PDB file of all heavy atoms in Angstrom:
ATOM      1  N   ALA X 127      15.727 -22.156 -28.748  1.00  0.00           N
ATOM      2  CA  ALA X 127      15.341 -21.202 -27.659  1.00  0.00           C
ATOM      3  C   ALA X 127      15.942 -21.670 -26.336  1.00  0.00           C
ATOM      4  O   ALA X 127      16.487 -20.854 -25.578  1.00  0.00           O
ATOM      5  CB  ALA X 127      13.836 -21.074 -27.556  1.00  0.00           C
ATOM      6  N   ARG X 128      15.894 -22.913 -26.070  1.00  0.00           N
ATOM      7  CA  ARG X 128      16.419 -23.507 -24.824  1.00  0.00           C
ATOM      8  C   ARG X 128      17.901 -23.230 -24.682  1.00  0.00           C
ATOM      9  O   ARG X 128      18.387 -22.824 -23.660  1.00  0.00           O
ATOM     10  CB  ARG X 128      16.096 -24.995 -24.762  1.00  0.00           C
ATOM     11  CG  ARG X 128      16.396 -25.568 -23.382  1.00  0.00           C
ATOM     12  CD  ARG X 128      16.137 -27.098 -23.334  1.00  0.00           C
ATOM     13  NE  ARG X 128      16.423 -27.628 -22.116  1.00  0.00           N
ATOM     14  CZ  ARG X 128      17.673 -28.050 -21.665  1.00  0.00           C
ATOM     15  NH1 ARG X 128      18.710 -27.859 -22.451  1.00  0.00           N
ATOM     16  NH2 ARG X 128      17.838 -28.491 -20.449  1.00  0.00           N
ATOM     17  N   GLN X 129      18.585 -23.431 -25.796  1.00  0.00           N
ATOM     18  CA  GLN X 129      20.017 -23.138 -25.747  1.00  0.00           C
ATOM     19  C   GLN X 129      20.263 -21.700 -25.431  1.00  0.00           C
ATOM     20  O   GLN X 129      21.149 -21.277 -24.642  1.00  0.00           O
ATOM     21  CB  GLN X 129      20.696 -23.531 -27.080  1.00  0.00           C
ATOM     22  CG  GLN X 129      20.885 -25.006 -27.272  1.00  0.00           C
ATOM     23  CD  GLN X 129      21.792 -25.597 -26.145  1.00  0.00           C
ATOM     24  OE1 GLN X 129      21.294 -26.327 -25.290  1.00  0.00           O
ATOM     25  NE2 GLN X 129      23.044 -25.145 -26.102  1.00  0.00           N
ATOM     26  N   GLU X 130      19.533 -20.860 -26.089  1.00  0.00           N
ATOM     27  CA  GLU X 130      19.721 -19.429 -25.991  1.00  0.00           C
ATOM     28  C   GLU X 130      19.358 -18.966 -24.538  1.00  0.00           C
ATOM     29  O   GLU X 130      20.032 -18.119 -23.984  1.00  0.00           O
ATOM     30  CB  GLU X 130      18.859 -18.704 -27.007  1.00  0.00           C
ATOM     31  CG  GLU X 130      19.156 -17.221 -27.088  1.00  0.00           C
ATOM     32  CD  GLU X 130      20.458 -16.748 -27.525  1.00  0.00           C
ATOM     33  OE1 GLU X 130      21.304 -17.634 -27.800  1.00  0.00           O
ATOM     34  OE2 GLU X 130      20.702 -15.567 -27.519  1.00  0.00           O
ATOM     35  N   VAL X 131      18.356 -19.599 -24.012  1.00  0.00           N
ATOM     36  CA  VAL X 131      17.924 -19.228 -22.617  1.00  0.00           C
ATOM     37  C   VAL X 131      19.078 -19.539 -21.682  1.00  0.00           C
ATOM     38  O   VAL X 131      19.435 -18.699 -20.809  1.00  0.00           O
ATOM     39  CB  VAL X 131      16.651 -19.986 -22.163  1.00  0.00           C
ATOM     40  CG1 VAL X 131      16.425 -19.891 -20.762  1.00  0.00           C
ATOM     41  CG2 VAL X 131      15.514 -19.460 -22.935  1.00  0.00           C
ATOM     42  N   LEU X 132      19.654 -20.624 -21.827  1.00  0.00           N
ATOM     43  CA  LEU X 132      20.805 -21.056 -20.948  1.00  0.00           C
ATOM     44  C   LEU X 132      21.933 -20.037 -21.136  1.00  0.00           C
ATOM     45  O   LEU X 132      22.621 -19.600 -20.119  1.00  0.00           O
ATOM     46  CB  LEU X 132      21.323 -22.478 -21.310  1.00  0.00           C
ATOM     47  CG  LEU X 132      20.439 -23.545 -20.824  1.00  0.00           C
ATOM     48  CD1 LEU X 132      20.898 -24.853 -21.445  1.00  0.00           C
ATOM     49  CD2 LEU X 132      20.413 -23.642 -19.351  1.00  0.00           C
ATOM     50  N   ARG X 133      22.225 -19.581 -22.322  1.00  0.00           N
ATOM     51  CA  ARG X 133      23.282 -18.644 -22.565  1.00  0.00           C
ATOM     52  C   ARG X 133      22.932 -17.338 -21.928  1.00  0.00           C
ATOM     53  O   ARG X 133      23.806 -16.660 -21.278  1.00  0.00           O
ATOM     54  CB  ARG X 133      23.475 -18.463 -24.048  1.00  0.00           C
ATOM     55  CG  ARG X 133      24.625 -17.612 -24.520  1.00  0.00           C
ATOM     56  CD  ARG X 133      24.725 -17.238 -25.919  1.00  0.00           C
ATOM     57  NE  ARG X 133      23.698 -16.231 -26.323  1.00  0.00           N
ATOM     58  CZ  ARG X 133      23.980 -14.890 -26.282  1.00  0.00           C
ATOM     59  NH1 ARG X 133      25.142 -14.499 -25.899  1.00  0.00           N
ATOM     60  NH2 ARG X 133      23.065 -14.088 -26.651  1.00  0.00           N
ATOM     61  N   LEU X 134      21.714 -16.944 -22.034  1.00  0.00           N
ATOM     62  CA  LEU X 134      21.279 -15.614 -21.468  1.00  0.00           C
ATOM     63  C   LEU X 134      21.395 -15.650 -19.945  1.00  0.00           C
ATOM     64  O   LEU X 134      21.802 -14.679 -19.345  1.00  0.00           O
ATOM     65  CB  LEU X 134      19.881 -15.291 -21.925  1.00  0.00           C
ATOM     66  CG  LEU X 134      19.742 -14.905 -23.394  1.00  0.00           C
ATOM     67  CD1 LEU X 134      18.304 -14.812 -23.783  1.00  0.00           C
ATOM     68  CD2 LEU X 134      20.401 -13.556 -23.628  1.00  0.00           C
ATOM     69  N   LEU X 135      20.908 -16.719 -19.314  1.00  0.00           N
ATOM     70  CA  LEU X 135      20.956 -16.850 -17.923  1.00  0.00           C
ATOM     71  C   LEU X 135      22.402 -16.737 -17.436  1.00  0.00           C
ATOM     72  O   LEU X 135      22.649 -16.197 -16.379  1.00  0.00           O
ATOM     73  CB  LEU X 135      20.268 -18.117 -17.437  1.00  0.00           C
ATOM     74  CG  LEU X 135      18.777 -18.173 -17.639  1.00  0.00           C
ATOM     75  CD1 LEU X 135      18.206 -19.577 -17.215  1.00  0.00           C
ATOM     76  CD2 LEU X 135      18.055 -17.139 -16.819  1.00  0.00           C
ATOM     77  N   ASP X 136      23.240 -17.438 -18.165  1.00  0.00           N
ATOM     78  CA  ASP X 136      24.658 -17.377 -17.797  1.00  0.00           C
ATOM     79  C   ASP X 136      25.253 -15.992 -17.950  1.00  0.00           C
ATOM     80  O   ASP X 136      25.925 -15.470 -17.123  1.00  0.00           O
ATOM     81  CB  ASP X 136      25.446 -18.364 -18.776  1.00  0.00           C
ATOM     82  CG  ASP X 136      26.863 -18.305 -18.423  1.00  0.00           C
ATOM     83  OD1 ASP X 136      27.287 -18.564 -17.295  1.00  0.00           O
ATOM     84  OD2 ASP X 136      27.681 -17.982 -19.350  1.00  0.00           O
ATOM     85  N   LEU X 137      24.867 -15.325 -19.016  1.00  0.00           N
ATOM     86  CA  LEU X 137      25.256 -13.961 -19.269  1.00  0.00           C
ATOM     87  C   LEU X 137      24.793 -13.021 -18.133  1.00  0.00           C
ATOM     88  O   LEU X 137      25.483 -12.060 -17.723  1.00  0.00           O
ATOM     89  CB  LEU X 137      24.685 -13.490 -20.586  1.00  0.00           C
ATOM     90  CG  LEU X 137      25.287 -12.187 -21.275  1.00  0.00           C
ATOM     91  CD1 LEU X 137      26.711 -12.449 -21.444  1.00  0.00           C
ATOM     92  CD2 LEU X 137      24.593 -12.006 -22.612  1.00  0.00           C
ATOM     93  N   ALA X 138      23.597 -13.312 -17.586  1.00  0.00           N
ATOM     94  CA  ALA X 138      23.060 -12.511 -16.510  1.00  0.00           C
ATOM     95  C   ALA X 138      23.720 -12.829 -15.122  1.00  0.00           C
ATOM     96  O   ALA X 138      23.295 -12.320 -14.133  1.00  0.00           O
ATOM     97  CB  ALA X 138      21.544 -12.678 -16.423  1.00  0.00           C
TER      98      ALA X 138
END
Side-chain angles (χ1 to χ4, degrees):
Chain X
R128 188 180 180 280
Q129 281 304 110
E130 184 66 1
V131 168
L132 287 171
R133 185 188 78 88
L134 289 169
L135 291 176
D136 177 59
L137 196 57

